[in-house]
Amino acid sequence: MPSSATTATASADTYSPLNLVLITGMSGAGKSVALRALEDTGYFCVDNLPPELIVQLLQTLQMQQQQRRRHVAIAVDGRSAASLPLLPQILRGLEGAAIDVKLLYLDASDESLVRRFSETRRRHPLSALSADASSGDRHQALAEAISQERELLAELKSLGSSIDTSLLRPSQLQSWVKTVVETPKSNLTLVFESFAFKRGIPVDADYVFDVRILPNPYYVAELRPLNGKDQAIQQWLEQSDAVNQMLAQLTHFLQEWLPAFINDHRSYLTVAIGCTGGQHRSVYFVEKLAQHFGKDHPTIIRHREIDA
């Protein structure tokens, strides 16, 4: 069986194109949830596939020409630590093949990962700690393993779309994964995400903007139950010169620097807008920025605090 991406490229035109979603990221960040979400939508899913076998699997699926397997999702993580450095080269090798590749990187804060591993009592794939180690040593080894994996995956994070799962419910993650997969492929996809500062800054953000200094609809009793997508909130905020000025300045800033990200061959740019509760001002700004830039770029909207 051929084992190079070059061979896959040579025969690509003979078979039906494949849609490949490659899921990677931190262990414990939700890759199994993401795979289940894609499996529910008809993807042929493979978990923990060593990177050196990816091309062989894709060649086999191309040769079968089964329509139900034209959509493929593969999860690769720290369990394949020795061969993870091969992934960027493999992805570059697939660029000329009849394969539409999307890389999805799942991330989470160190605190969230430590809590998840502690709650499930699973061992981190990079942890060589013995089963009879003390509780204190176990915690230290887990923190070291997370740090080692984060360094190992650093290059991959910049190659695709990143999702911070630290505060997401499984249903939210499933919805966000499907949104990424359904977004048309482009030189640059913009992700606008609203969040509450009191719950932490998203670790997947490229830019973070703080709109807490602006007038807050929360203190208007009839507006408090609403959110920034509601017309009443938008009309109230647009009465403020400060709101209009900041929105114009953020729009200009992003417009000015988007060409640089495109020239740097970035596939995704995540802009996070935060306010106190993540309900009103940040949601409004995300909606307005997405509306403006969505005319020229594929755009993804995420509202961390209000998405179902």
Side-chain angles (χ1 to χ4, degrees):
M1 176 73 67
S3 58
S4 69
T6 304
T7 306
T9 303
S11 59
D13 294 336
T14 308
Y15 307 108
S16 300
L18 291 176
N19 295 307
L20 170 64
V21 178
L22 187 60
I23 303 174
T24 187
M26 300 298 293
S27 298
K31 287 185 290 297
S32 60
V33 174
L35 273 181
R36 285 198 299 271
L38 295 179
E39 189 172 33
D40 289 344
T41 61
Y43 273 73
F44 175 71
C45 298
V46 182
D47 190 15
N48 192 25
L49 183 70
E52 59 268 30
L53 297 181
I54 290 177
V55 172
Q56 294 185 21
L57 173 64
L58 296 178
Q59 289 174 337
T60 300
L61 294 177
Q62 283 181 318
M63 293 174 64
Q64 291 177 347
Q65 288 191 307
Q66 296 180 6
Q67 293 301 311
R68 65 185 179 89
R69 292 191 175 181
R70 287 183 56 241
H71 301 278
V72 184
I74 299 174
V76 180
D77 58 26
R79 291 170 290 183
S80 301
S83 54
L84 269 178
L86 298 175
L87 267 181
Q89 179 182 354
I90 292 172
L91 290 174
R92 287 191 293 269
L94 293 174
E95 288 178 356
I99 300 174
D100 180 12
V101 183
K102 287 189 176 181
L103 178 68
L104 178 60
Y105 186 97
L106 301 184
D107 203 354
S109 66
D110 288 2
E111 180 183 0
S112 296
L113 295 174
V114 168
R115 183 182 68 253
R116 292 171 186 176
F117 274 100
S118 299
E119 290 174 350
T120 61
R121 302 191 66 81
R122 293 172 50 216
R123 290 180 60 183
H124 192 282
L126 298 187
S127 176
L129 194 64
S130 62
D132 58 351
S134 67
S135 175
D137 290 339
R138 187 181 301 277
H139 182 86
Q140 180 180 357
L142 177 56
E144 291 174 352
I146 291 173
S147 177
Q148 180 182 354
E149 185 177 38
R150 199 174 291 284
E151 182 178 351
L152 184 66
L153 296 170
E155 182 180 0
L156 290 173
K157 185 174 183 179
S158 65
L159 299 179
S161 175
S162 180
I163 297 179
D164 175 13
T165 70
S166 304
L167 299 173
L168 297 186
R169 300 183 298 276
S171 60
Q172 281 181 293
L173 176 56
Q174 291 175 354
S175 176
W176 287 18
V177 166
K178 293 176 182 177
T179 300
V180 170
V181 170
E182 293 168 359
T183 302
K185 193 172 183 180
S186 173
N187 290 335
L188 181 67
T189 297
L190 300 176
V191 181
F192 293 101
E193 179 176 350
S194 66
F195 71 95
F197 271 99
K198 66 181 181 181
R199 300 187 70 214
I201 298 174
V203 299
D204 57 348
D206 296 299
Y207 282 122
V208 177
F209 296 103
D210 184 351
V211 297
R212 287 176 293 182
I213 198 173
L214 299 175
N216 191 353
Y218 177 84
Y219 295 108
V220 180
E222 61 269 25
L223 298 180
R224 184 176 300 177
L226 306 178
N227 63 59
K229 293 192 290 185
D230 292 311
Q231 186 176 7
I233 294 291
Q234 295 184 4
Q235 290 177 343
W236 189 88
L237 287 171
E238 288 166 358
Q239 295 175 7
S240 166
D241 291 339
V243 169
N244 294 325
Q245 182 181 5
M246 183 173 285
L247 180 59
Q249 290 175 342
L250 291 185
T251 301
H252 177 76
F253 174 84
L254 293 173
Q255 196 76 54
E256 183 77 15
W257 286 101
L258 281 183
F261 283 91
I262 295 174
N263 292 337
D264 195 42
H265 305 290
R266 291 285 296 272
S267 299
Y268 291 85
L269 176 68
T270 299
V271 179
I273 310 290
C275 62
T276 306
Q279 304 281 332
H280 303 109
R281 294 165 292 180
S282 61
V283 172
Y284 167 80
F285 270 76
V286 161
E287 291 289 326
K288 290 301 179 180
L289 289 171
Q291 180 181 346
H292 176 85
F293 288 99
K295 301 172 185 176
D296 301 310
H297 302 275
T299 302
I300 295 174
I301 296 176
R302 297 173 182 165
H303 296 303
R304 192 181 71 182
E305 318 304 346
I306 68 172
D307 281 347

